[in-house]
Amino acid sequence: RMTSHNMTWISYPSKNLAFISPEEIEAFIASQNIISRLMHCYIAFFVPTGLIAGICILIVFIKNYLQYKVIENLDLLLLHFTISNIIMIFLSFTVITRPDYLQATHLVCNVLSFFFNFSYFNSQYVLILTLLILLLKRFPPRTALSKATQRPILCVGFVLIYAFCLSLTEAVLVGTDNYHLATDCQLDPLFAWPEYEIIKFTFGFGIPSFLQILCFTVLFAKEAPAEAPALQQHIRTYPAAYIISITIFICHLFYNVMILFRTTFKLQKSIGTPKNELVMNIAEIVVFCESCASLVFILCFHKPCK
């Protein structure tokens, strides 16, 4: 079963220059220009802004901890989220070579992909935990759930183990052949088996989005206890988590739809067109932009950072 996935036939449309007409050549040049401009825009504006915001958040949280010797549950989760996103920004430097791709062996590409997926799953599920803690602030529970959320280190540990297992699964699904061969490397390797994208969509978008929507539904639909602050007041007190939640959902929706499109091409044994490749590249850069934007939102809207 493991060797039946022969992905040696796959290549990027831009590397398969069997153009038939001048129109196709023009479309190819146009798409290369767009990718190149987007990459320059991302590296010039988003990366410095995201990294500066991330470093400022770390300084604020460390300073607060040293001063008060205590870190709030919410702050601990946002600190974890911040570290995940800083790692994601560093990994995004792999787009510097666009419109070309990073040259690496299959093994190096798989290792980069592992760390990218680890940060990706990590930030998704830490955000779900954050939304859950905010829900419990508004609807104080009388269950074991409240005991669990009183121990955020335990929750973070669970998320780390879960993200590690998912990333390891993804690393296996990248394929176990040709580790020594050089390849065009993207953080979601093109030569990964179709199952790679299906697992990523299910556990990296489907389940987290369902849980996010569930949290929002409870927040807006359930009647809060009489002593709880008004809904608007609650959202105004913790705007960072809610703004990030909406941003992640929108950016990851686009990215995951493109990942599913790529799977359908693989299943049809097709490499797609330069336009498909362009949109997949845009989707990847959008995910990195979201990591930078999320850090800026924490810095601007989370009370201790303000």
Side-chain angles (χ1 to χ4, degrees):
R1 178 90 188 109
M2 294 292 250
T3 51
S4 65
H5 285 66
N6 180 7
M7 299 301 290
T8 49
W9 59 271
I10 202 160
S11 70
Y12 287 100
S14 60
K15 301 279 179 184
N16 220 18
L17 300 175
F19 295 122
I20 305 138
S21 63
E23 286 81 15
E24 280 184 306
I25 296 169
E26 277 171 29
F28 167 70
I29 293 166
S31 74
Q32 297 274 296
N33 279 337
I34 294 168
I35 295 169
S36 182
R37 280 183 194 160
L38 270 175
M39 183 276 294
H40 283 114
C41 174
Y42 168 70
I43 296 291
F45 299 111
F46 282 88
V47 169
T49 314
L51 286 177
I52 291 165
I55 291 160
C56 291
I57 295 163
L58 293 181
I59 291 168
V60 169
F61 283 151
I62 291 165
K63 227 170 121 183
N64 284 356
Y65 179 73
L66 293 174
Q67 200 173 345
Y68 303 111
K69 290 286 176 279
V70 67
I71 187 161
E72 262 209 36
N73 294 0
L74 188 63
D75 288 357
L76 182 73
L77 293 178
L78 288 178
L79 176 65
H80 183 85
F81 181 81
T82 301
I83 293 166
S84 261
N85 280 292
I86 290 172
I87 293 168
M88 189 90 102
I89 294 169
F90 281 121
L91 287 167
S92 75
F93 284 128
T94 53
V95 302
I96 284 178
T97 50
R98 297 293 151 82
D100 204 354
Y101 295 91
L102 185 73
Q103 289 296 309
T105 62
H106 279 65
L107 178 62
V108 170
C109 198
N110 202 347
V111 169
L112 286 171
S113 174
F114 171 83
F115 285 110
F116 168 60
N117 283 322
F118 187 58
S119 301
Y120 178 85
F121 290 128
N122 222 332
S123 48
Q124 281 279 40
Y125 286 97
V126 164
L127 182 69
I128 302 294
L129 263 184
T130 308
L131 291 176
L132 183 64
I133 282 185
L134 292 184
L135 261 190
L136 296 178
K137 279 183 187 287
R138 183 154 169 77
F139 305 103
R142 293 164 290 281
T143 59
L145 196 59
S146 92
K147 282 199 186 75
T149 52
Q150 290 311 310
R151 300 169 71 183
I153 300 266
L154 204 69
C155 297
V156 165
F158 174 73
V159 167
L160 283 169
I161 293 165
Y162 183 59
F164 179 80
C165 292
L166 283 175
S167 308
L168 208 56
T169 306
E170 290 291 63
V172 171
L173 294 174
V174 167
T176 49
D177 308 332
N178 310 322
Y179 269 150
H180 56 287
L181 296 181
T183 183
D184 293 311
C185 180
Q186 208 171 358
L187 289 177
D188 285 311
L190 182 72
F191 53 84
W193 300 345
E195 288 90 338
Y196 172 94
E197 281 105 355
I198 293 163
I199 293 281
K200 184 144 188 179
F201 178 84
T202 308
F203 290 93
F205 182 73
I207 294 170
S209 297
F210 171 73
L211 294 172
Q212 261 175 274
I213 291 165
L214 199 63
C215 284
F216 274 99
T217 307
V218 171
L219 183 70
F220 288 106
K222 194 172 185 228
E223 206 170 320
E227 67 275 10
L231 180 61
Q232 282 168 318
Q233 179 65 40
H234 170 80
I235 291 172
R236 261 195 235 111
T237 312
Y238 310 105
Y242 294 115
I243 293 169
I244 290 168
S245 189
I246 293 161
T247 313
I248 281 188
F249 179 78
I250 294 165
C251 295
H252 285 200
L253 175 67
F254 173 48
Y255 170 69
N256 278 277
V257 167
M258 293 334 297
I259 270 184
L260 280 190
F261 268 123
R262 197 164 85 166
T263 317
T264 57
F265 284 130
K266 285 181 184 179
L267 294 172
Q268 291 161 2
K269 285 272 194 284
S270 156
I271 62 168
T273 64
K275 193 178 174 186
N276 301 135
E277 185 183 349
L278 165 68
V279 180
M280 186 66 223
N281 273 297
I282 293 171
E284 188 182 31
I285 291 174
V286 164
V287 165
F288 296 138
C289 290
E290 174 273 309
S291 285
C292 301
S294 291
L295 295 179
V296 173
F297 292 146
I298 294 176
L299 189 65
C300 296
F301 296 109
H302 185 52
K303 267 215 176 93
C305 298
K306 278 201 311 198

